[in-house]
């Protein structure tokens, strides 16, 4: 039986106001360790909202998110921050690197915040990560000296810094050209193949098809789930 | 902490112009506040020094703080007596010599006797009311600065001239007399005494110079109509600030009213309290205003760095840690600003001390008195640092409270 890295149980995210709006509407989902899951759906379907809930960036109105079997709904904001720091790595559509820092310093940021390694060890790991993503010679460059694809790869290196169980990526190729998109997706695929769980939100059906599982969201609900290789619908949407 | 400091340092060092403006604001506030503190305290201390030098630190007079209660009043609660004439009560401090000997044995200073009375100086049609103090020149030098305040003649000249007197320069000018001239003193008992001006002094306090005349004991006692009477003891202490405490002890021992220089000038000292309050308020306002530059720069940085704040929080940095970055930035601006402010403050104090002004009290041109105190630098620096931290806290708190998802969504 495969180990579950990430699980959503009856997950609901509602925006309260004069007119309340439900972004995520009762989603049940389990992602295994080392699985590569792509979340797709039209704009406004709630796929990014679901991703933020899964990555503990946002708190659900109802339901539960379990990271490596640990429930998180009762955690304080500080404890959620700790879980994000150690168990989740984030990649966004825009790289969101700190502009005044070098690539290496950006990669070191989560490690320094966690403070679990010696400085020399951190630098060694940071350089190794950049090297593995083909950025060794760009370690001392600032983000404005890098191309879009390079910046996104630095952002991936930063997400991997603390060896998180789960990588969540929100349209990581949304602002990249075709070559960079291919490169970034290959890296994410590679990460999953090495045993880390990857959940990606994407608009690109071709890329989503390369995931182990594609979850299509419509109106905050799972409309269909497709598994790679089988090329067939395995789960009809909940009505 | 090193990470937070690195981020903070990067923020301030990449905004050189804004940072310098913030630091300049703090420096100006600190520098001018130190200058004001030095100037105000300097002038106050100088004034008090003149006051203390001119007057005896404690004056013991032959009166009581309140009328003594009568034996009948002590015995019966129903008895109340008032308007009791002290018939035949001889003025003066009883056994004054033994009282002085006793005081000399324990007070940290010295004591001298005097015979004090009021009189009118009558000269060439001018009639001016004065206080006449009969003194013992040998003992007087122990308790007053009269010897050093002499502008013409010496204290010893009192015994060389017939009925010699020493008056203030201001009074001599009013009367149009010089050393060696004779004036007529008229006492309360109708006693008239031709006195020779043996010398002139200048105390620095015009009200004293215009109304205080010194003579030997004899002539003063004659003017009082009471020979051999000592009605005032004047004490000078090694530390003038002990005057209140010692005065209370002297009063307890002798029973006579003992007035410290602080009590005698209570109205003046209370006006200093008001002045201190005003000055402190102005200085506080200056420091607060100077911290607005810091508020401005931190507000700008937090606004510009909304995305960075969101990303740091999303990566898992705690809110207080992110907030601390901006407090550290303000501290960097504050500490550097304060260091330059200290230098500016010292230079301003030094510059002011070179300015001379005409002092109408002493009639002399004197440099502005500046009081240099390490406490000024420490207190002003400390308050300024707190103001800077406060100025950073509010924009930092506002910026770091924002939910990262709101900013990340906004940027997408």
């Amino acid at each position: 039986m495969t180990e579950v890295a990430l699980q959503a149980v009856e997950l609901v995210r509602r925006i309260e106001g004069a007119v309340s709006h439900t972004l995520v509407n009762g989603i049940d989902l389990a992602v295994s360790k080392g699985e590569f899951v792509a979340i797709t759906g039209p704009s406004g379907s709630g796929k990014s909202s679901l991703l933020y809930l899964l990555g503990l960036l946002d708190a659900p109105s109802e339901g539960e998110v379990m990271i490596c079997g640990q429930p998180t709904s009762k955690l304080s904001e500080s404890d959620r921050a700790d879980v994000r720091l150690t168990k989740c790595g984030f990649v966004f559509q825009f790289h969101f690197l700190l502009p005044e820092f070098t690539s290496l310093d950006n990669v070191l940021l989560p490690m320094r915040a966690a403070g679990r390694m010696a400085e020399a060890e951190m630098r060694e790991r940071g350089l190794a990560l950049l090297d593995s993503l083909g950025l060794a010679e760009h370690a001392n460059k600032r983000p404005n000296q890098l191309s879009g694809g390079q910046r996104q790869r630095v952002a991936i290196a930063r997400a991997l810094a603390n060896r998180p169980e789960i990588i969540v990526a929100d349209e990581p190729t949304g602002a990249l050209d075709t070559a960079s998109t291919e490169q970034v997706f290959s890296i994410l695929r590679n990460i999953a193949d090495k045993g880390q769980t990857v959940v990606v939100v994407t608009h690109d059906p071709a890329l989503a098809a390369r995931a182990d599982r594609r979850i299509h969201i419509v109106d905050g609900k799972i409309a269909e789930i497709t598994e790679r290789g089988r090329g067939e619908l395995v789960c009809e949407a909940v009505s | 902490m090193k990470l937070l400091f690195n981020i903070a340092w990067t923020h301030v060092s990449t905004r050189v112009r804004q940072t310098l403006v913030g630091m300049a604001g703090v420096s100006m506030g600190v520098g001018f506040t130190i200058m004001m503190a030095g100037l105000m305290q300097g002038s106050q201390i100088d004034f008090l020094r003149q006051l203390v030098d001119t007057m005896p630190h404690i004056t013991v007079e032959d009166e009581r703080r309140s009328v003594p209660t009568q034996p009948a009043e002590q015995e019966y609660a129903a008895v109340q007596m008032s308007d009791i004439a002290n018939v035949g009560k001889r003025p003066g401090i009883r056994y004054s010599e033994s009282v002085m000997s006793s005081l000399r044995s324990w007070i940290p200073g010295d004591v001298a006797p005097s015979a004090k009375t009021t009189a009118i100086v009558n000269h060439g049609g001018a009639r001016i009311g004065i206080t006449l103090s009969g003194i013992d020149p040998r003992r007087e030098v122990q308790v007053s600065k009269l010897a050093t305040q002499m502008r013409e003649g010496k204290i010893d000249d009192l015994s060389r001239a017939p009925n010699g007197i020493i008056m203030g320069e201001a009074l001599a000018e009013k009367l149009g007399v010089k050393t060696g001239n004779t004036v007529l003193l008229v006492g309360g008992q109708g006693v008239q005494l031709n006195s020779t001006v043996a010398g002139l002094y200048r105390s620095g306090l015009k009200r004293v110079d215009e109304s205080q005349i010194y003579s030997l004991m004899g002539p003063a006692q004659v003017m009082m109509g009471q020979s051999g009477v000592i009605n005032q003891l004047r004490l000078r202490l090694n530390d003038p600030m002990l005057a209140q405490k010692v005065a209370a002890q002297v009063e307890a021992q002798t029973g006579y009213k003992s007035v410290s220089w602080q009590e005698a000038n209570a109205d003046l000292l209370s006006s200093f309290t008001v002045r201190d309050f005003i000055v402190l308020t102005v200085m506080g306002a200056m420091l607060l205003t100077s911290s607005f530059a810091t508020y401005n720069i931190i507000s700008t940085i937090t606004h510009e760095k909304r995305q960075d704040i969101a990303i740091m929080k999303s990566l898992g940095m705690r809110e207080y840690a992110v907030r601390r970055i901006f407090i550290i930035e303000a501290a960097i601006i504050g500490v550097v600003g304060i260091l330059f402010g200290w230098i500016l403050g010292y230079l301003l104090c030094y510059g002011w001390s070179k300015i001379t002004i005409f002092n109408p009290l002493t009639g002399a041109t004197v440099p502005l008195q500046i009081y240099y105190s390490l406490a000024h630098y420490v207190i002003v620096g400390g308050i300024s640092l707190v103001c800077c931290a406060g100025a950073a806290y509010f924009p930092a708190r506002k910026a770091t409270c924002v939910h990262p998802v709101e900013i990340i969504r906004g940027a997408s």
Side-chain angles (χ1 to χ4, degrees):
Chain A
M1 189 179 164
T2 52
E3 193 180 335
V4 174
L6 181 62
Q7 190 175 5
V9 182
E10 287 294 317
L11 209 54
V12 175
R13 179 68 172 104
R14 204 178 293 116
I15 305 285
E16 303 292 349
V19 180
S20 18
H21 182 56
T22 305
L23 301 171
V24 174
N25 194 0
I27 284 184
D28 283 299
L29 178 69
V31 183
S32 305
K33 194 177 175 191
E35 192 179 7
F36 188 160
V37 173
I39 300 172
T40 60
S43 292
S45 58
K47 55 189 187 303
S48 289
S49 300
L50 173 61
L51 193 78
Y52 296 146
L53 291 172
L54 295 176
L56 303 190
L57 263 184
D58 200 5
S61 308
E62 290 170 29
E64 181 71 81
V65 173
M66 296 171 83
I67 305 245
C68 303
Q70 296 293 315
T72 60
S73 63
K74 299 278 195 295
L75 295 179
S76 67
E77 190 49 52
S78 296
D79 291 337
R80 292 162 65 84
D82 283 346
V83 175
R84 284 202 299 274
L85 185 63
T86 53
K87 292 200 162 63
C88 302
F90 290 89
V91 182
F92 299 98
Q93 182 178 2
F94 299 99
H95 55 85
F96 285 139
L97 299 172
L98 301 189
E100 297 94 348
F101 282 62
T102 63
S103 302
L104 179 61
D105 282 332
N106 269 289
V107 175
L108 294 179
L109 187 70
M111 289 190 264
R112 285 176 171 157
R116 292 187 302 194
M117 284 185 269
E119 180 68 20
E121 201 182 338
M122 285 192 269
R123 292 185 77 82
E124 193 182 330
R125 173 160 173 76
L127 286 168
L129 278 169
L130 287 171
D131 190 30
S132 69
L133 297 174
L135 293 163
E137 71 273 28
H138 302 296
N140 293 316
K141 288 184 182 170
R142 289 185 178 179
N144 62 2
Q145 296 170 298
L146 303 173
S147 69
Q150 287 168 336
R151 287 176 201 170
Q152 201 59 302
R153 280 185 280 154
V154 175
I156 293 171
R158 181 178 65 184
L160 294 169
N162 280 333
R163 295 185 178 88
E165 310 280 344
I166 303 149
I167 302 288
V168 286
D170 187 10
E171 301 198 38
T173 58
L176 300 180
D177 57 32
T178 314
S180 298
T181 298
E182 177 56 36
Q183 208 173 17
V184 166
F185 230 86
S186 298
I187 292 165
L188 292 172
R189 177 72 256 180
N190 200 27
I191 291 166
D193 291 343
K194 284 180 179 170
Q196 279 169 296
T197 306
V198 179
V199 182
V200 179
V201 162
T202 181
H203 267 114
D204 189 334
L207 292 174
R210 291 163 61 186
D212 296 329
R213 201 160 32 134
R214 192 189 73 170
I215 296 167
H216 192 68
I217 305 279
V218 177
D219 293 335
K221 295 179 179 177
I222 296 175
E224 64 177 71
I225 298 175
T226 312
E227 284 193 16
R228 191 165 68 124
R230 300 170 79 176
E232 58 193 36
L233 195 68
V234 293
C235 172
E236 190 62 55
V238 184
S239 58
Chain B
M1 198 65 185
K2 194 182 168 192
L3 170 67
L4 305 183
F5 186 83
N6 277 347
I7 298 172
W9 177 252
T10 309
H11 283 174
V12 294
S13 61
T14 50
R15 282 168 187 74
V16 177
R17 199 170 59 86
Q18 279 176 302
T19 304
L20 287 179
V21 169
M23 287 173 178
V26 176
S27 297
M28 295 278 191
V30 169
F32 280 97
T33 308
I34 286 173
M35 181 208 76
M36 267 189 76
L39 196 60
M40 299 308 282
Q41 203 171 347
S43 66
Q44 195 163 311
I45 287 173
D46 184 52
F47 183 81
L48 285 177
R49 192 185 296 131
Q50 282 186 37
L51 190 72
V52 169
D53 278 355
T54 307
M55 301 179 65
H57 296 162
I58 298 170
T59 309
V60 184
E61 297 190 329
D62 63 337
E63 47 184 89
R64 313 270 170 177
R65 289 224 177 243
S66 54
V67 179
T69 51
Q70 297 296 313
E73 284 179 292
Q74 290 168 12
E75 199 66 30
Y76 304 104
V79 176
Q80 282 192 341
M81 301 176 83
S82 63
D83 196 23
I84 299 159
N86 279 316
V87 182
K89 181 181 177 291
R90 193 168 185 270
I93 294 168
R94 300 180 75 188
Y95 313 115
S96 56
E97 280 301 331
S98 52
V99 169
M100 280 192 289
S101 303
S102 166
L103 290 178
R104 272 194 204 100
S105 69
W106 66 269
I107 60 163
D110 213 333
V111 56
S114 62
K116 183 185 164 193
T117 185
T118 53
I120 292 169
V121 190
N122 202 339
H123 183 75
R127 292 167 63 83
I128 298 173
I130 54 101
T131 302
L132 179 67
S133 292
I135 58 170
D136 178 345
R138 282 181 300 110
R139 288 173 171 178
E140 187 65 19
V141 292
Q142 308 294 328
V143 298
S144 85
K145 294 267 174 140
L146 185 60
T148 59
Q149 290 166 349
M150 294 301 292
R151 292 290 177 268
E152 284 182 31
K154 288 184 291 214
I155 299 184
D156 290 343
D157 293 343
L158 282 175
S159 46
R160 294 197 183 100
N163 297 328
I165 56 169
I166 293 171
M167 66 168 68
E169 272 187 339
L171 181 60
E173 207 171 302
K174 242 183 185 178
L175 295 168
V177 296
K178 290 183 176 171
T179 309
N181 292 161
T182 306
V183 294
L184 181 67
L185 295 181
V186 183
Q189 311 287 328
V191 183
Q192 297 194 353
L193 204 65
N194 273 314
S195 306
T196 308
V197 180
L200 302 175
Y201 72 90
R202 183 163 67 198
S203 69
L205 292 180
K206 204 166 184 179
R207 66 182 164 90
V208 174
D209 290 0
E210 283 187 343
S211 64
Q212 177 69 56
I213 289 181
Y214 296 97
S215 70
L216 290 178
M217 287 284 187
Q221 287 163 343
V222 169
M223 295 298 287
M224 288 166 74
Q226 298 282 345
S227 60
V229 161
I230 303 293
N231 64 356
Q232 193 181 54
L233 302 180
R234 292 185 299 155
L235 279 71
R236 188 165 191 86
L237 305 179
N238 301 331
D239 178 6
M241 302 316 288
L242 293 175
Q244 270 179 313
K245 193 179 154 200
V246 174
Q249 289 171 334
V250 170
E251 187 162 323
Q253 180 187 324
T254 62
Y256 290 112
K257 184 180 172 185
S258 303
V259 180
S260 63
W261 66 269
Q262 289 103 323
E263 188 187 341
N265 295 283
D267 51 344
L268 200 62
L269 294 177
S270 80
S271 76
F272 279 152
T273 310
V274 175
R275 195 176 86 140
D276 285 347
F277 180 74
I278 293 168
V279 170
L280 285 175
T281 309
V282 171
M283 290 197 294
M286 279 170 71
L287 291 176
L288 201 60
T289 310
S290 72
S291 68
F292 272 82
T294 311
Y295 176 85
N296 203 27
I297 183 173
I298 299 297
S299 291
T300 309
I301 292 176
T302 51
H303 186 73
E304 286 175 4
K305 292 291 168 195
R306 278 164 61 87
Q307 270 192 16
D308 290 5
I309 292 168
I311 207 69
M312 285 187 279
K313 284 182 74 174
S314 71
L315 289 177
M317 282 176 72
R318 290 184 177 197
E319 194 173 305
Y320 72 81
V322 180
R323 194 183 306 144
R324 207 177 282 170
I325 291 170
F326 301 101
I327 306 289
I328 294 170
E329 287 173 23
I332 294 170
I333 292 168
V335 167
V336 178
I338 287 165
L339 288 175
F340 280 103
W342 283 348
I343 297 169
L344 178 68
Y346 181 81
L347 292 176
L348 282 169
C349 285
Y350 182 77
W352 275 89
S353 71
K354 295 294 160 199
I355 295 172
T356 53
I357 54 160
F358 177 75
N359 185 345
L361 287 178
T362 59
T365 303
V366 290
L368 279 175
Q369 296 296 315
I370 304 284
Y371 182 70
Y372 294 91
S373 167
L374 187 63
H376 290 169
Y377 290 76
V378 173
I379 292 168
V380 171
I383 293 173
S384 186
L385 200 57
V386 170
C387 285
C388 282
Y393 178 78
F394 296 104
R397 192 181 65 168
K398 189 182 169 194
T400 52
C401 276
V402 175
H403 202 285
V405 170
E406 287 174 30
I407 295 168
I408 290 165
R409 274 188 189 283
S412 303

